[in-house]
């Protein structure tokens, strides 16, 4: 968890910043909990399913995660655990047992196959199976959203993630990775095009070299029909599976939104969210 680095950063910057990170919780201790609460950390516990898709030794400490005032839980979906019904059942038990905060978040890391994460061997069939399971979840949330008077779309977590990732045009300039609003930086202050590789594109003193960023963008991204949506979400992906998912979900979402006459309300909710997010970022 690089806890010593976290402590140095926090003690240098003080309490007036937003701190957050993701952990499988295995290395959490009581002392860490006290520190994270002192600096108002948002700590996101990752749960990959009970089938052990990642090493969980020592055992996860979701009981300590629950003691962190600002906690949440995210589910990472892999080739080995892409049964979403089973995952939901496991997550509901975990959340209830430990009294965790939880807003549904399903991240399909099985399609993020980079040159530096070569052990992933996901098939296209897995991607299609994930899409098939996600579609009814998104559709049901869109129906509920259209019937709701609330202004915030973030209440509908799966729908929100889907439209932001595969439907809404990205009108901001930034580096791209699975954490779409994160600009990765190494400990020595150099900007990275991707947190999984060594594609350095500037440093904290000189800023980001956007020519270098453009040079890294594959030709297939520059001519892609949804490049204004995806913006080359993964430059170093070894397969076309992430591209397949983006194009498929974009096409399907456009049809779904049109069929439900939801475009105007959906876009208004997204615009409101983006305005609020920019205000938070500016502050």
């Amino acid at each position: 968890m690089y806890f010593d680095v976290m402590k140095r950063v926090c003690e240098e910057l003080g309490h007036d910043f937003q701190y957050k990170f993701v952990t499988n919780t295995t290395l959490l201790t009581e002392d860490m909990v006290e520190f994270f609460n002192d600096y108002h950390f948002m700590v996101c516990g990752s749960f990959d399913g009970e089938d052990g898709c990642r090493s969980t030794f020592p055992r996860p400490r979701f009981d300590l995660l629950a003691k962190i005032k600002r906690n949440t839980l995210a589910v990472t979906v892999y080739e080995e655990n892409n049964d979403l019904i089973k995952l939901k059942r496991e997550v509901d038990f975990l959340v209830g047992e430990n009294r965790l905060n939880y807003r549904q978040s399903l991240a399909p890391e099985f399609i993020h196959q980079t040159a530096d994460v070569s052990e992933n061997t996901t098939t296209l069939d897995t991607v299609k199976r994930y899409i098939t399971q996600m579609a009814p979840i998104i559709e049901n949330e869109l129906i509920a959203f259209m019937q709701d008077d609330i202004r915030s779309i973030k209440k509908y977590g799966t729908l929100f993630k889907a439209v932001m990732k595969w439907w809404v045009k990205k009108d901001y300039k930034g580096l791209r990775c699975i954490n779409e609003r994160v600009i990765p930086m190494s400990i020595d202050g150099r900007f990275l095009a991707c947190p999984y590789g060594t594609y350095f594109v500037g440093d904290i003193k000189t800023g980001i070299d956007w020519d270098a960023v453009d040079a890294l963008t594959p030709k297939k991204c520059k001519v892609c029909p949804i490049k204004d949506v995806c913006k080359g979400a993964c430059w170093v992906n070894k397969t076309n599976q992430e591209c397949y998912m983006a194009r498929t979900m974009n096409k399907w979402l456009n049809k779904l939104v049109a069929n439900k006459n939801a475009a105007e309300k959906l876009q208004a909710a997204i615009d409101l969210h983006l305005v609020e997010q920019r205000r938070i970022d500016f502050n």
Side-chain angles (χ1 to χ4, degrees):
M1 289 198 330
Y2 300 101
F3 184 60
D4 289 341
V5 174
M6 291 185 192
K7 289 180 66 176
R8 280 167 32 212
V9 170
C10 293
E11 289 165 0
E12 181 70 23
L13 295 180
H15 288 78
D16 297 329
F17 285 82
Q18 296 183 47
Y19 301 105
K20 56 185 176 181
F21 71 99
V22 181
T23 173
N24 67 6
T25 75
T26 61
L27 299 181
L28 285 180
T29 66
E30 293 280 0
D31 290 342
M32 291 179 185
V33 169
E34 183 178 352
F35 177 83
F36 293 143
N37 283 333
D38 182 33
Y39 279 88
H40 308 293
F41 264 80
M42 167 61 78
V43 180
C44 179
S46 63
F47 179 70
D48 305 329
E50 293 180 349
D51 295 334
C53 298
R54 286 183 178 173
S55 171
T56 54
F57 180 81
R59 69 182 182 84
R61 295 300 307 270
F62 293 112
D63 57 320
L64 291 181
L65 179 67
K67 293 184 178 182
I68 298 172
K69 294 177 182 177
R70 300 182 67 223
N71 74 72
T72 187
L73 190 71
V75 182
T76 305
V77 184
Y78 284 85
E79 171 90 13
E80 299 88 343
N81 70 331
N82 64 92
D83 182 339
L84 300 191
I85 294 176
K86 180 174 180 291
L87 270 176
K88 185 179 186 306
R89 186 166 60 245
E90 293 173 353
V91 168
D92 288 345
F93 177 79
L94 182 66
V95 169
E97 183 181 45
N98 295 282
R99 298 183 180 180
L100 296 168
N101 299 323
Y102 176 59
R103 185 176 65 220
Q104 184 168 306
S105 173
L106 297 168
E109 284 211 357
F110 53 77
I111 58 171
H112 193 74
Q113 299 178 51
T114 72
D116 298 284
V117 191
S118 57
E119 66 271 15
N120 289 343
T121 56
T122 304
T123 64
L124 186 58
D125 285 342
T126 303
V127 178
K128 292 179 178 178
R129 190 158 58 247
Y130 178 79
I131 290 174
T132 301
Q133 294 180 88
M134 283 290 289
I137 298 174
I138 296 169
E139 184 170 3
N140 289 337
E141 288 199 3
L142 179 62
I143 293 171
F145 168 74
M146 290 299 292
Q147 296 172 345
D148 204 331
D149 291 332
I150 68 161
R151 300 177 71 191
S152 174
I153 190 177
K154 292 194 75 173
K155 173 182 175 182
Y156 302 95
T158 305
L159 173 66
F160 173 72
K161 285 208 162 200
V163 297
M164 292 301 291
K165 189 171 183 64
W166 297 310
W167 191 69
V168 173
K169 292 184 178 180
K170 304 296 192 300
D171 60 352
Y172 55 85
K173 193 173 188 178
L175 297 177
R176 307 294 297 165
C177 72
I178 53 175
N179 297 306
E180 294 187 2
R181 294 179 56 249
V182 175
I183 297 178
M185 188 193 304
S186 62
I187 292 296
D188 61 0
R190 290 187 290 176
F191 291 116
L192 288 153
C194 171
Y196 290 105
T198 54
Y199 305 88
F200 294 109
V201 288
D203 58 56
I204 197 169
K205 293 181 179 179
T206 60
I208 298 173
D209 182 350
W210 291 107
D211 289 335
V213 173
D214 291 337
L216 281 169
T217 306
K219 291 181 180 179
K220 68 176 183 179
C221 294
K222 295 179 179 179
V223 298
C224 178
I226 65 164
K227 64 179 182 296
D228 56 342
V229 175
C230 176
K231 285 287 179 69
C234 182
W235 285 315
V236 292
N237 203 304
K238 297 193 303 176
T239 73
N240 287 320
Q241 292 171 16
E242 193 156 8
C243 299
Y244 173 86
M245 176 177 278
R247 289 194 300 268
T248 301
M249 295 304 289
N250 176 261
K251 185 177 181 179
W252 175 77
L253 277 168
N254 275 298
K255 288 183 178 180
L256 176 66
V257 170
N259 289 340
K260 303 297 182 184
N261 295 316
E264 185 175 347
K265 182 176 180 180
L266 195 59
Q267 190 63 59
I270 292 297
D271 290 343
L272 184 67
H273 164 75
L274 292 175
V275 168
E276 177 63 16
Q277 190 59 62
R278 291 189 184 103
R279 183 188 67 78
I280 293 172
D281 289 346
F282 178 77
N283 289 339

